[in-house]
């Protein structure tokens, strides 16, 4: 059984490469995207595979590697400034825990129904945030740049995209995410109006603007649609992927948090049904699903002992021991509803790649490109671009 599954998935990867060659390959004449244009490469948190998340240096590196968009996650400071951090809790992405002058700011807050302890952006002014430095949040990635880069504002990210895009002779877009909108509203720091005000200063108010705004919540996107015509994207999350490839939906990652507050029974998965996608189309231009919603993977139990097989024999079971399954209909149904699909998150480390790809991240990109995704959020924009151009 294991051999049959691996052979089938391997054939699918080979078919992808052949199909990309047939439809133009590197010259990008035709792709199975909603528009027929080549898929976008989005620098996820900058160049997160190489430099600490959400720094101007990381965003510049992503642009240099060919990213079409750079992605700042937005949270608000005490004085209402929008800064690029992955979460309101800045403990894991800055050196704040090492700053004696801020030791007393350590506290507990409830974010999307979960109590967290640490230091939170909303307890700091922008001037104080600017004294902090970014650190690499993943222990298995290069820490040598810890403490070297500042925390940027949204305006600084927008300025960088314009400046570096001009140098490169192309338009570089910015793809901000409003992080935990309900949490910020409860603090009196509504992100959406602040975001709109900044975008208006740059003249970014139309669908043609080099901006796409994304969120895991729904009501804030509906609000934004009444205020702006910039492109909006509904993000779709889950808690985990089960052994059989199905999605695990456990709070707080089971549904948009505004659904939880409103007592709405629908889950993230509900948004990706044909009916859900049609509703999303009423307020957004695209969907941003976690990639297992598009092509799942599963563990193998060839001898039926109830334990997943260690396919590569390294003594542990992880992503490298999963096998890819057949694609779902999400991309097809989203395109039928008129929505583009930007999938997340693509990472190049071998331990984060399923067995089918044999440690080659480009093979994973090509599989998703051939499926018809309209864009990919990548920690390694250079690999995403290389796979697109292959």
């Amino acid at each position: 059984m294991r051999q049959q599954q691996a052979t089938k998935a391997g054939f699918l990867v080979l078919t992808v490469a052949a199909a990309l060659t047939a439809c133009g390959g590197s010259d990008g004449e035709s792709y199975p995207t909603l528009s027929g244009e080549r898929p976008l490469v989005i620098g996820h948190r900058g160049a997160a595979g190489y430099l600490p998340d959400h720094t101007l240096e990381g965003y510049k590196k992503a642009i240099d590697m060919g990213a079409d968009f750079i992605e700042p996650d937005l949270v608000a400071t005490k004085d209402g400034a929008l800064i690029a951090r992955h979460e309101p809790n800045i403990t894991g992405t800055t050196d704040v825990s090492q700053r004696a002058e801020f030791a007393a700011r350590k506290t507990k807050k409830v974010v999307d129904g979960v109590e967290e302890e640490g230091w939170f952006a909303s307890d700091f002014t922008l001037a104080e945030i600017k004294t902090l430095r970014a650190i690499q949040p993943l222990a298995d990635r290069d820490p040598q740049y810890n403490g070297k880069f500042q925390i940027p504002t949204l305006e600084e990210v927008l300025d960088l995209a314009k400046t570096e895009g001009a140098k490169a002779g192309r338009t570089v877009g910015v793809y901000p995410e409003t992080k935990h909108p309900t949490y910020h509203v409860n603090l009196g720091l509504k992100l959406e109006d602040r975001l709109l005000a900044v975008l208006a200063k740059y003249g970014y108010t139309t669908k043609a603007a080099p901006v796409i705004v994304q969120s895991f919540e729904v009501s804030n996107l509906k609000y934004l649609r009444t205020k702006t015509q910039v492109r909006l994207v509904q993000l779709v999350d889950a808690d985990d992927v089960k052994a059989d490839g199905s999605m695990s939906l456990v709070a707080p990652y089971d549904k948009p948090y505004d659904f939880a507050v409103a007592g709405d029974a629908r889950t993230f998965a509900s948004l990706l049904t044909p009916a859900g996608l049609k509703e999303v189309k009423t307020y957004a231009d695209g969907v941003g699903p976690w990639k297992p919603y598009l092509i799942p993977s599963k563990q193998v139990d060839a001898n039926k002992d109830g334990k997943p097989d260690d396919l590569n024999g390294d003594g542990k079971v992880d992503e490298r021991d999963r096998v890819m399954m057949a694609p779902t209909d999400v991309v097809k149904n989203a395109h039928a509803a008129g929505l583009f699909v930007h999938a997340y998150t693509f990472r190049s480390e071998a331990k984060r790649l399923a067995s089918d790809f044999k440690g080659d991240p480009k093979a994973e990109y090509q599989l998703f490109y051939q499926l018809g995704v309209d864009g990919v959020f990548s920690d390694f924009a250079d690999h995403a671009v290389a796979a697109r151009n292959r």
Side-chain angles (χ1 to χ4, degrees):
M1 185 67 176
R2 180 178 64 186
Q3 185 177 9
Q4 290 174 339
Q5 290 166 334
T7 300
K8 182 178 179 181
F11 174 76
L12 184 59
V13 173
L14 291 174
T15 302
V16 169
L20 280 175
T21 300
C23 73
S26 62
D27 58 16
E29 290 181 357
S30 177
Y31 289 87
T33 56
L34 179 63
S35 66
E37 298 176 355
R38 69 181 189 176
L40 298 175
V41 172
I42 303 148
H44 182 243
R45 308 179 197 170
Y50 300 98
L51 296 173
D53 297 358
H54 299 304
T55 62
L56 293 180
E57 292 78 7
Y59 294 130
K60 182 180 184 303
K61 188 172 185 68
I63 294 169
D64 291 343
M65 293 189 297
D68 303 295
F69 277 75
I70 51 177
E71 186 224 18
D73 295 330
L74 301 180
V75 302
T77 64
K78 184 177 182 178
D79 46 352
L82 296 181
I83 60 170
R85 286 295 87 192
H86 182 236
E87 294 288 336
N89 189 335
I90 59 175
T91 308
T93 60
T94 73
D95 61 358
V96 65
S97 65
Q98 303 167 30
R99 298 299 186 92
E101 66 271 30
F102 298 129
R105 304 279 180 94
K106 188 176 185 181
T107 187
K108 293 180 180 179
K109 293 183 188 292
V110 176
V111 181
D112 290 4
V114 178
E115 185 177 76
E116 299 181 13
E117 184 174 26
W119 288 261
F120 294 81
S122 57
D123 291 331
F124 293 77
T125 65
L126 177 59
E128 290 172 330
I129 289 289
K130 282 296 185 180
T131 69
L132 302 176
R133 295 295 180 267
I135 62 172
Q136 172 58 252
L138 297 183
D140 61 335
R141 287 183 173 170
D142 188 357
Q144 69 170 306
Y145 299 100
N146 286 357
K148 295 186 177 181
F149 306 139
Q150 284 192 349
I151 313 307
T153 64
L154 173 60
E155 290 93 334
E156 288 172 327
V157 178
L158 291 167
D159 288 340
L160 177 81
K162 290 183 67 174
T163 300
E164 296 302 319
K167 289 179 183 177
R170 61 189 178 89
T171 299
V172 174
V174 178
Y175 208 130
E177 179 188 345
T178 57
K179 297 293 291 193
H180 305 285
T182 297
Y183 165 85
H184 280 94
V185 166
N186 291 338
L187 292 176
L189 294 169
K190 188 172 182 177
L191 298 176
E192 288 68 34
D193 290 336
R194 288 171 168 79
L195 172 59
L196 290 171
V198 173
L199 294 180
K201 288 197 303 184
Y202 288 78
Y204 296 160
T205 59
T206 70
K207 195 170 184 177
V211 173
I212 303 175
V213 178
Q214 56 180 329
S215 179
F216 282 106
E217 294 190 27
V218 174
S219 56
N220 65 314
L221 289 174
K222 290 183 175 180
Y223 173 80
L224 283 167
R225 178 50 74 224
T226 69
K227 301 292 184 179
T228 182
Q229 288 305 305
V230 300
R231 287 164 289 178
L232 305 178
V233 165
Q234 176 66 65
L235 296 174
V236 181
D237 207 355
D239 173 65
D240 203 348
V241 184
K242 297 179 183 178
D244 64 358
S246 61
M247 306 305 290
S248 171
L249 296 168
V250 178
Y253 305 107
D254 58 332
K255 63 180 62 179
Y257 187 63
D258 55 327
F259 279 16
V261 172
D264 192 321
R266 289 176 297 166
T267 66
F268 277 119
S270 304
L271 299 176
L272 295 181
T273 64
L277 291 165
K278 288 179 182 178
E279 181 183 345
V280 171
K281 179 59 179 174
T282 65
Y283 63 87
D285 303 277
V287 289
W290 188 21
K291 62 186 180 181
Y293 276 109
L294 308 183
I295 311 180
S297 67
K298 64 182 178 181
Q299 295 175 337
V300 176
D301 181 11
N303 59 9
K304 307 298 182 183
D305 64 355
K307 299 178 182 179
D309 295 345
D310 177 13
L311 298 183
N312 63 359
D314 65 354
K316 56 186 176 183
V317 175
D318 58 18
E319 196 70 19
R320 287 170 287 195
D321 302 300
R322 300 182 74 95
V323 296
M324 298 302 291
M325 301 169 65
T328 69
D329 289 332
V330 169
V331 172
K332 180 181 72 175
N333 292 339
H335 285 175
L339 294 163
F340 58 75
V341 180
H342 293 167
Y344 71 90
T345 301
F346 289 79
R347 297 180 165 108
S348 295
E349 293 94 347
K351 73 177 185 179
R352 296 187 169 103
L353 296 170
S355 61
D356 307 70
F357 307 124
K358 304 185 188 310
D360 179 10
K362 297 184 186 67
E364 183 185 31
Y365 287 111
Q366 289 178 324
L367 185 63
F368 281 83
Y369 288 157
Q370 180 56 24
L371 179 61
V373 297
D374 304 274
V376 294
F377 289 89
S378 173
D379 283 4
F380 298 80
D382 50 343
H383 297 165
V385 170
R388 186 179 65 183
N389 294 341
R390 181 182 286 182

